[in-house]
């Protein structure tokens, strides 16, 4: 089978560029207007993209005076998108650090039911500094501790999603049996961070579990990704580092007994598209010229866990000595690494660095014609740097419209991108298997409600039958 490219739309404010919200090509709708997000999801679906994705930060940050942020909460947003779309995958970010596993498992199972199996969960540990104080902590929880919780969190939610067999609901009005309690079980998890009895209080969803998406690329983040991720968002400014990352993840996953094809890797790409190279560069320049160094400095400081850069001259060339060591940063270590590598390689002035981060915060940004964008996509895809891309339009919706109308057809003509949707779930779209329940791995029994059949070994786990569920309320 020929390998097909995957494309995800990353929705962010009125576009990924920091100044996009002031641009004529940006939506006039409020960031709290659901019709804006519905319109984007429908556009992405009409172009046959795999999925749309919403990030989330658990604190407002300090730049609100000059940056358009404060959009809708992603889980709620997906529920509203699921009812106006039919085929496109929907991915929401939710934090393992500041959510309880039982809440999160219910929400994502509900979304997967509502959407007919189109949901992905972007698993994050929440890097923003202001998050801790919003959840009862004096300060942000440290990087290592956040990941320690994340590993256990995944164990718990996975058990919760598996706590119902696919055929547990009978809904048999004649016999009066609604569900088979032998096919629903407690999880009785007791670990260092979480104590959860279970079972979940709703049936297993169409995909069994949402697609596990992950976006942290530090050393610990990669270990986590190799174990759990099924799709990975990542930021690379150079094809070579993207190839090294791709190989590293797939090698680690194989060492853990996973099949490398069951993880798709989607680097970020922010394409500034013009009908000529000059026009594309003019759009990019115009956006950069609107940017405010004070906003850029606040964002840079955030990326480095609150480090102060304000004493640096805007027009002096930077060196890595101006930055804290990325492995000691308590925010997102991988993004700190991307930024310091850029400084080591290009020695930009602070002003130039702020301009390049204003575009897409350290993701790969390129200005060019549709053909040139398609060339880059094809080159990275064929070179083993990517299974597809996380598309981050600098201005929404105008630059996304250009992407769907002028870049996607070129990719299609080159045989890289689909001409019709395959399957109905996000797992099918990404070429991922549906996981069997760890407690009820056998096939569905005839007569059970629903039409989903799990893949997996045919023998039921006898130990799973031992703890019938207590009476549900
Ligand atoms: C495309 C992309 C999207 C991300 N979205 C979020 C997000 O919505 N919320 C968040 O807290 N972190 C987000 N992150 C950051 C990571 O998920 C991760 O929490 C952070 O990078 C810290 O992990 P690390 O030190 O392993 O890189 C995103 C990263 C990438 C590449």
């Amino acid at each position: 089978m020929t390998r097909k490219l995957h494309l995800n739309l990353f929705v962010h404010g009125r576009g990924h560029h920091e100044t996009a919200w002031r641009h004529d090509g940006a939506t006039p709708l409020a960031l709290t207007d659901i019709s804006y997000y519905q319109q984007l999801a429908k556009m992405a679906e009409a172009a046959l993209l795999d999925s749309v994705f919403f990030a989330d930060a658990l604190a407002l940050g300090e730049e609100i005076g000059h940056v358009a942020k404060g959009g809708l909460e992603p889980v709620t947003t997906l529920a509203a998108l699921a009812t106006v779309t039919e085929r496109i995958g929907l991915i929401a970010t939710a934090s393992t650090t500041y959510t309880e596993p039982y809440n999160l498992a219910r929400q994502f199972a509900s979304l997967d039911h509502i959407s007919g199996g189109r949901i992905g969960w972007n698993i994050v540990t929440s890097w923003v500094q202001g998050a801790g104080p919003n959840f009862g902590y004096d300060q942000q929880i440290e990087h290592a501790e956040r990941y320690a919780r994340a590993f256990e969190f995944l164990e718990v939610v996975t058990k919760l999603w598996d706590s119902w067999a696919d055929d547990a609901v009978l809904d048999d009005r004649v016999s009066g049996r609604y569900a088979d309690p032998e096919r629903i079980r407690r999880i009785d998890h007791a670990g260092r961070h979480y104590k959860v009895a279970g079972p979940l209080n709703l049936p297993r969803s169409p995909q069994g579990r949402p697609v596990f998406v992950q976006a942290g690329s530090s050393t610990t983040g990669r270990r986590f990704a190799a174990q759990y991720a099924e799709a990975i968002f990542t930021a690379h400014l150079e094809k070579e580092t993207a190839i090294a990352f791709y190989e590293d993840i797939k090698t680690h996953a194989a060492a853990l007994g996973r099949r490398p094809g069951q993880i798709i890797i989607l680097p970020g790409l922010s394409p500034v598209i013009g009908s000529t190279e000059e026009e594309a560069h003019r759009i990019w320049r115009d956006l950069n010229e609107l940017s405010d160094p004070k906003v850029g400095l606040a964002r840079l400081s955030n990326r480095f866990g609150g480090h102060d850069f304000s004493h640096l001259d805007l027009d002096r060339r930077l060196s890595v000595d101006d930055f804290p060591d990325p492995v000691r940063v308590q925010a997102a270590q991988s993004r700190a690494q991307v930024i310091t590598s850029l400084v080591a390689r290009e020695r930009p002035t602070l002003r130039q660095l702020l301009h390049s981060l204003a575009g897409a915060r350290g993701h790969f940004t390129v200005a060019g014609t549709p053909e040139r964008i398609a060339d880059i996509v094809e080159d990275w895809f064929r070179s083993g740097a990517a299974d597809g891309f996380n598309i981050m339009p600098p201005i929404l919706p105008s630059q996304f419209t250009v992407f769907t109308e002028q870049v996607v057809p070129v990719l299609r003509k080159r045989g890289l991108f689909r001409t019709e949707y395959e399957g109905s779930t996000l797992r099918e779209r990404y070429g991922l298997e549906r996981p069997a329940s760890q407690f009820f791995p056998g096939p569905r029994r005839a007569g059970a409600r629903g039409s989903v059949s799990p893949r997996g070994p045919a023998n039921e786990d006898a130990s799973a039958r031992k703890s019938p569920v207590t009476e549900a309320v």
Side-chain angles (χ1 to χ4, degrees):
M1 204 178 71
T2 18
R3 199 171 149 241
K4 281 276 191 283
L5 183 78
H6 299 286
L7 293 177
N8 172 74
L9 168 65
F10 181 172
V11 177
H12 181 83
R14 289 194 181 128
H16 281 267
H17 198 285
E18 181 179 292
T19 66
W21 64 280
R22 300 169 67 188
H23 196 278
D24 288 347
T27 181
L29 296 174
L31 291 180
T32 47
D33 186 337
I34 191 64
S35 65
Y36 167 50
Y37 305 102
Q38 290 174 327
Q39 179 196 342
L40 289 172
K42 285 182 189 173
M43 281 170 68
E45 187 169 70
L48 306 183
L49 261 64
D50 292 71
S51 44
V52 294
F53 155 62
F54 294 82
D56 195 31
L58 295 176
L60 184 61
E62 286 158 20
E63 322 91 88
I64 187 68
H66 300 281
V67 176
K69 53 201 305 204
L72 297 170
E73 186 284 317
V75 170
T76 323
T77 303
L78 289 206
L81 300 191
T83 60
V84 297
T85 53
E86 289 176 2
R87 309 296 297 278
I88 191 141
L90 304 167
I91 303 172
T93 297
S95 173
T96 51
T97 308
Y98 301 110
T99 321
E100 283 294 323
Y102 201 86
N103 291 338
L104 184 137
R106 296 182 70 200
Q107 289 171 321
F108 278 80
S110 297
L111 284 175
D112 207 44
H113 281 289
I114 293 169
S115 65
R118 295 185 283 132
I119 299 299
W121 168 32
N122 179 36
I123 307 163
V124 302
T125 65
S126 295
W127 65 270
V128 286
Q129 291 307 290
N134 288 335
F135 292 88
Y137 300 91
D138 292 335
Q139 58 188 25
Q140 169 72 314
I141 296 176
E142 289 198 348
H143 191 269
E145 173 62 13
R146 295 204 304 273
Y147 269 114
R149 289 188 192 198
F151 277 96
E152 191 182 334
F153 194 107
L154 263 286
E155 194 187 327
V156 179
V157 286
T158 303
K159 286 178 184 167
L160 286 169
W161 285 317
D162 290 353
S163 63
W164 290 57
D166 284 294
D167 56 8
V169 177
L170 304 170
D171 201 359
D172 185 345
R173 295 175 192 220
V174 177
S175 71
R177 294 184 74 211
Y178 181 71
D180 180 352
E182 296 284 323
R183 308 284 289 163
I184 305 168
R185 57 166 278 175
R186 295 167 63 100
I187 67 164
D188 287 324
H189 177 91
R192 202 180 123 212
H193 301 97
Y194 303 106
K195 193 159 183 282
V196 182
L200 200 61
N201 58 357
L202 80 163
R204 202 151 193 264
S205 72
Q207 296 188 109
R209 305 169 198 158
V211 172
F212 289 173
V213 184
Q214 194 271 358
S217 303
S218 63
T219 308
T220 326
R222 291 177 188 216
R223 200 161 51 78
F224 182 85
Q227 186 167 341
Y228 285 113
E230 297 173 295
I232 299 179
F233 295 144
T234 182
H236 292 278
L237 294 173
E238 292 178 299
K239 189 173 80 175
E240 288 63 35
T241 63
I243 292 173
F245 176 79
Y246 188 101
E247 287 171 355
D248 185 52
I249 290 287
K250 301 230 174 181
T251 307
H252 272 84
L256 292 172
R258 297 186 62 197
R259 278 181 296 137
Q262 288 293 296
I263 307 179
I264 62 164
I265 299 185
L266 307 170
L269 173 64
S270 187
V272 188
I273 313 163
S275 51
T276 60
E277 294 283 325
E278 293 71 42
E279 191 196 3
H281 282 278
R282 185 180 48 70
I283 297 170
W284 197 4
R285 211 173 33 246
D286 289 351
L287 286 166
N288 279 344
E289 274 167 14
L290 285 176
S291 66
D292 177 347
K294 280 203 293 298
V295 170
L297 273 174
R299 286 163 60 131
L300 186 65
S301 166
N302 233 334
R303 286 285 172 196
F304 284 84
H307 186 83
D308 184 12
F309 295 99
S310 61
H311 60 284
L312 297 177
D313 187 325
L314 277 172
D315 295 306
R316 171 173 77 73
R317 284 198 178 280
L318 296 166
S319 86
V320 286
D321 298 335
D322 294 314
F323 294 81
D325 184 349
V327 298
R328 284 209 280 279
V329 166
Q330 296 301 319
Q333 293 183 353
S334 50
R335 200 65 60 84
Q337 185 66 57
V338 167
I339 296 169
T340 48
S341 301
L342 167 80
V343 168
R345 202 170 53 245
E346 296 180 9
R347 300 289 317 273
T349 64
L350 183 57
R351 191 186 305 278
Q352 287 165 335
L353 177 69
L354 296 182
H355 275 169
S356 56
L357 298 179
R361 308 173 301 284
H363 284 270
F364 185 40
T365 305
V366 59
T369 59
E371 284 285 338
R372 173 153 151 71
I373 305 297
D375 287 348
I376 289 168
V377 167
E378 178 165 7
D379 180 34
W380 282 47
F381 179 64
R382 293 202 192 280
S383 310
D387 294 309
F389 286 88
N390 192 17
I391 300 299
M392 306 169 61
I395 308 167
L396 284 168
S398 61
Q399 281 280 314
F400 184 52
T401 306
V402 182
F403 183 82
T404 59
E405 290 178 356
Q406 296 184 33
V407 180
V408 170
V410 178
L411 296 171
R412 216 167 258 147
K413 206 150 67 199
R414 296 182 188 182
L416 293 168
F417 196 57
R418 68 173 64 80
T419 50
E420 59 182 30
Y421 272 135
E422 57 289 299
S424 60
T425 67
L426 179 56
R427 287 188 175 281
E428 288 167 312
R429 189 93 10 92
Y430 277 171
L432 302 171
E433 284 178 1
R434 182 178 190 273
S437 161
Q438 62 196 290
F439 304 123
F440 304 102
R444 297 171 64 74
R445 287 170 311 178
R449 179 153 202 158
S451 59
V452 179
S453 73
R455 293 180 202 163
N459 298 324
E460 185 173 329
D461 174 5
S463 65
R465 289 167 156 268
K466 284 185 188 141
S467 33
V469 68
T470 50
E471 182 67 24
V473 179

